[in-house]
Every structure is written in structure tokens, then in C-alpha cells.
Amino acid sequence: MPSSLTEFLDLACDRLGGAVLAASDEFFAGKENLIKAGDPVFVAGKYTDRGKWMDGWETRRKRVPGHDWAVVRLGVPGLIHGVAVDTRFFTGNYPEQASLEACTASADAYSDTLAGWIELVPPSALAGDTVNEFEVRNPLRFTHVRLNIFPDGGVARLRIHGEALPDWRHLGPEIDLAAAAYGATVVTSSDQHYGQPLNLIMPGPGRDMSDGWETRRRRGPGHDWVTLRLAAEGVIERVEVDTSHFKGNAPAACSLDVSLTGEDNEEGPWTEVLRKIPLQADAQHIFRNELTSAPARFSRFHIYPDGGVSRLRLIGRMTEAGRAQAILALLNSAPPEDARAEFRRCCGSPAWARVMEAGRPYTALSVLEMAADEAWSRCSRDDRLEALAAHPRIGERAEHPWSREEQARAVAAGAETLAELEELNRRYREKFGYTFVICATGKTAGEILAILRTRLENGPDAEIRAAAEEQRLITRLRLRKLLS
């Protein structure tokens, strides 16, 4: 993990699409300045018709009870690890205290409709003309934050340091696996004398030579490199290397290695997927046919011998394991009520869903499946009946898309078979008092009929155990679908 908050991505930055939606007041300086990418500046002697020009957000002096606030939509939703309230150049006009709240909402939500605010930083003392940093420990994914200042004053910048966590279910199959906006991060680099390697994976083209990764002039043997942790495990299908703005200082060549492990310099094993290949100054390069294929969770980008690169794009597709892990991260960080709703898609028991939500986080599908089995084994008879009642009758046209998919072969049966299924379903309900449930995936109507006839011969205790086992199998199947 990064050793400093500043090594995390600023989720609120305007470069990532962040926006200040509303503020209680911005009399002296506009709220939009809060999330500007650059450091604040001070211009002596510069005034506006309202007072001294300040590079930040500044409210008027409050003469009534209350405090000022600003609501920010994060450019990228994610996990928040720290907050920086930067009061540089505000000396006699900074707030005494600040706090931060966060919530989860749709990207197009209006500030006055936001709800469910969770306090991440309690009211805390601020110092003037400095960067005030606060650590955050909360496992949830957030989309909006609200900065409260007490009672009024000026803040130059607000930095929300964290890990990007997009909704992978809404992204196309081909993505930039190295994009910071999707959660890729810089692990380490050989040198960053002139420009941060994080610039390599920021959105949009580089603005100028300062907006890239540039190393010092190498006077000895060797070459420079940067190691990235990709947004998800995937296979790189296209590499784009942009040396725009670097004219007399572009690298002579580059290469790329990948690994499924390798969070530090010594680990690996590394596989070369792009051999050493020449680069041009101030140019965009696309390498596709030159690539070899290998699954990757980490990449190491080499430049020879040194120099500057504006942007690096690693375009590819997530592996099945990568997509499952990415969606699992979403599930782990969802608000409790949202997580319970997702689990209810897999099993209709609210009690089971509550246990699964409380058991987060889950590190892998296998861990999730074991937890699901354990939670199901502890459910009462009433809990199990509630889960069984959530299923449509076999052969009946289902509203739930997963039920339709699971019963596809049974529903396609002829009229005579469907009529028999309906009659046996009726007899089953009359005998046991609940709907016949079977893990129908891949089974024909004839196969289901044969099993139904056999289970009609069970006694009540034997049948509830049989039905519970079928629900366990259905739940496991749907958990896999949930992560696919």
C-alpha cells in the first residue's frame, strides 16, 4: 500500500471529472477552485470587486448561527482512505474546524436529493496556510462528499485520496487496464525526478511536458521503468505509448512485461509481452501486432535509457477471474441495504441475506460460496420456506431473468409435458405446502418430471432437506452469475 496519502488517486479532482455541485456560500472565491488539479497560488496585490482574489473557495463572514458547506461529486467513485483540507495562503481567514461526510448516489443526482450521509471525518481543528491531512477508515464505496467548515472562511483545495472503484457491470468488454479512473495504481518506479508516474495513467491527453512521467538524465548503465498494478486481471491486446510534448527528451525505446504477481521489484515471474521497440519524440505509438498474449495483474513499463512519456494505455479484456474479483470488490464496498438486495437475488431468504452482508468482505468466490453454505445451514425452517417461496413453479414463465435462464429447457417442453408438470406441481404444494424447487439448469422437462415424481414420495422432513439442498445449489450457481 502507498506510504503517503498523496500517493493515492485524488478521486475528487476535476481532471477525473469531479464537480462541486453546490455550496452554502462562495462570496469571495468560487467553489470550483476546491478541486482544481494544480497547487494553489497567491498573487499579491490582485483584487476583485468583492475583495482579495484567492485561489480557493472562500465564504463571507458568517453573522448568523450555522456553518458553511460544499457538496462534491467525485470524478471516480471509490474507497476513501484519506482527506486533505488545504488552507495554503489562507492565514487570517481559514475555518477553525472542518468535517467530511460521504454518501452513495447516481452520477446525475442533484445535491438537494442526496441522503444517507456518513461521517468520515468528525469536526476537527484546522491550521492555516497548510495542508491538513486526515486518515479515513471506512470500507464503503462513495460517490459524493460534503465538506463542512465551521463557521466560515477559506479552503484552497480539497483532496479526496483513495482507490477508484468503477461499476464494472456497466463497462464494455474492452477497457484500459492501466487507467487510474478504473483503479490502476503505480506500485513503484526507478525515478520520477521531473514528473510523477501517476500522470502516465491519468485520463485525457497530457497538457504539456509537466503532465507526464519524466526521469532525470541517466549517466550510468541501466534504464528506467515503472511498475503498475492494473485495474483488474486481464489480457493486454493493444499498447499505446504517447510521447507528446517530449521532443529532445523522449526515450529511445520501450518494452513491456506483465505478471500475475509481483508487487515489488524482486517478485514476478515477469513475462515479456512487448519486446524492446523504438519510440519517436512527440508522437503517439500503437503496438498491436507486436504483442504476445499473457494474463496480467501487474505490468512493468521499461524506457531506454531514460526520458519522458506523456501517457500509457494498456487496452485489453478482463479475464473471468479478473471480472469476478472486480465485481466482488463492488459487493464488498456496497452500502448494507444494497448488498443485501444483491444477495437476495441469489437466495430469497432475508435472514440469509443479512448474514451474508454482515460477513463482508469476501476475498474470493470460493470464500463467498463457503460463507453462503454456512449461512444457509444456520437458517430456520421458516427462513428456508421464505427462500423457496421466491421461486416460480417449474414450467411457469418466470419474471426473474435468472429463473428464465435456469428453466429454459423445461419451459421449451411440449404442451403435454408442461400439463403434467403443472399437475404434479399442484399435488406437491398440496402435500408439502410450498413450491417444488429444483436446480433446473441444464435439465430437461422429462428429467425434472422424474425427479418430481420421486420427491413426491418423500415424507415432510426428508423433503424439506431435499428442497434445502436444491436451494443451496441454486444459490451457489447464482453467486457465480452475480460475479460474472
Side-chain angles (χ1 to χ4, degrees), residues 270-308:
W270 295 96
T271 300
E272 185 180 73
V273 294
L274 178 67
R275 60 178 176 78
K276 186 176 180 180
I277 195 164
L279 292 176
Q280 302 297 317
D282 193 28
Q284 295 184 359
H285 310 75
I286 296 178
F287 305 113
R288 182 182 290 107
N289 297 332
E290 299 86 349
L291 289 174
T292 56
S293 179
R297 189 67 176 93
F298 297 85
S299 68
R300 181 171 292 167
F301 178 60
H302 304 264
I303 57 174
Y304 303 90
D306 53 33

Side-chain angles (χ1 to χ4, degrees), residues 322-376:
R323 180 169 290 276
Q325 199 65 38
I327 297 176
L328 187 60
L330 277 176
L331 186 63
N332 284 334
S333 61
E337 61 277 12
D338 291 351
R340 288 194 292 270
E342 289 295 298
F343 285 123
R344 284 286 297 276
R345 297 173 62 197
C346 302
C347 175
S349 165
W352 178 87
R354 285 194 298 271
V355 172
M356 292 300 293
E357 181 273 315
R360 297 179 299 165
Y362 300 104
T363 56
L365 173 61
S366 58
V367 176
L368 187 65
E369 288 177 330
M370 286 190 291
D373 287 352
E374 175 65 19
W376 184 239

Side-chain angles (χ1 to χ4, degrees), residues 26-31 33-34 36 39-43 51-61 85-96 126-132 147 149 152-158:
E26 49 183 328
F27 185 86
F28 288 113
K31 62 184 184 299
N33 293 329
L34 269 178
K36 285 167 61 176
D39 287 337
V41 297
F42 183 81
V43 181
K52 177 70 182 73
W53 179 89
M54 296 296 289
D55 186 12
W57 167 52
E58 186 180 3
T59 68
R60 72 189 80 201
R61 301 189 187 208
V85 181
D86 186 344
T87 59
R88 276 180 287 182
F89 306 115
F90 288 93
T91 54
N93 53 348
Y94 61 91
E96 287 187 322
L126 295 180
D129 195 27
T130 193
V131 179
N132 301 268
L147 174 67
I149 58 173
D152 54 36
V155 174
R157 297 288 188 270
L158 173 66

Side-chain angles (χ1 to χ4, degrees), residues 428 436-437 451-458 463 467 470:
Y428 182 96
F436 170 71
V437 170
I451 295 170
L452 177 50
R453 292 190 193 101
T454 300
R455 283 175 54 185
L456 270 168
E457 297 175 4
N458 284 338
E463 181 51 32
E470 294 298 322

Side-chain angles (χ1 to χ4, degrees), residues 378-448:
R378 295 178 179 273
C379 283
S380 68
R381 178 184 175 87
D382 287 344
D383 295 333
R384 294 183 175 190
L385 290 175
E386 199 165 6
L388 298 177
H391 291 277
R393 290 184 302 173
I394 295 293
E396 183 179 72
R397 180 66 64 178
E399 294 184 7
H400 195 303
W402 288 349
S403 292
R404 289 200 301 270
E405 178 185 316
E406 290 155 7
Q407 295 192 30
R409 297 186 71 184
V411 172
E416 184 177 339
T417 301
L418 290 175
E420 187 176 0
L421 271 174
E422 184 177 358
E423 172 59 21
L424 292 184
N425 269 311
R426 183 188 61 78
R427 288 168 51 190
Y428 182 96
R429 175 171 282 279
E430 286 179 354
K431 179 175 180 178
F432 298 112
Y434 51 87
T435 301
F436 170 71
V437 170
I438 185 173
C439 186
T441 300
K443 293 182 176 68
T444 65
E447 291 170 332
I448 293 171

Side-chain angles (χ1 to χ4, degrees), residues 176-193:
D176 180 3
L177 295 167
Y182 293 158
T185 57
V186 175
V187 177
T188 187
S189 66
S190 59
D191 183 84
Q192 52 185 40
H193 186 80

